[in-house]
Amino acid sequence: MKSPAMGVWTSRLQEASVRVRGASGRVKVWAQERSARRAHEAPTAAESTNPVYILAAITLGIPALLLIPLVGMNPGVQDGTFTTVVTFLVASAFVTAAVFEIKRLADQRSDADKH
């Protein structure tokens, strides 16, 4: 024999199950729409290998790699020169990154709905 409370709980569980299935369907549709928007906005492979970034890496990387052994192994270099060179390289990297970020922000579409 079923108790009246079991009947009430059974009907409530069935209603909740139906609501969860409906919500699951809505989430599925929302996720598909969101992934479609992301695919539409995703950068292409040509944009990800921007030659300006490669040029910046070469411009900052080669002098850093050459100056470290030249300054560190040269006995005629004064103490503290290595720190000055490293500080200059870090400051150059920061300024270059700031310029590229400003360029990236300036090149964005003005009608983009970014938050």
Side-chain angles (χ1 to χ4, degrees):
M1 275 204 196
K2 278 188 173 178
S3 68
M6 283 296 285
V8 170
W9 279 106
T10 304
S11 65
R12 287 185 181 173
L13 287 174
Q14 288 174 345
E15 290 172 15
S17 174
V18 169
R19 278 187 266 149
V20 167
R21 278 191 223 122
S24 174
R26 287 191 300 270
V27 168
K28 188 176 184 181
V29 169
W30 174 78
Q32 288 173 347
E33 289 174 355
R34 184 149 174 104
S35 66
R37 267 188 263 129
R38 281 186 183 164
H40 180 66
E41 295 174 357
T44 62
E47 291 176 5
S48 63
T49 56
N50 192 345
V52 175
Y53 295 129
I54 296 171
L55 180 64
I58 291 171
T59 303
L60 293 174
I62 290 176
L65 292 176
L66 291 177
L67 283 176
I68 290 172
L70 287 175
V71 171
M73 294 169 41
N74 191 347
V77 175
Q78 295 177 351
D79 291 338
T81 305
F82 183 72
T83 306
T84 305
V85 169
V86 170
T87 304
F88 175 73
L89 291 173
V90 169
S92 299
F94 178 77
V95 169
T96 304
V99 168
F100 284 137
E101 183 65 18
I102 291 169
K103 179 188 178 308
R104 185 186 67 83
L105 290 172
D107 289 345
Q108 281 184 345
R109 296 184 304 176
S110 62
D111 63 343
D113 55 340
K114 304 272 188 222
H115 293 272

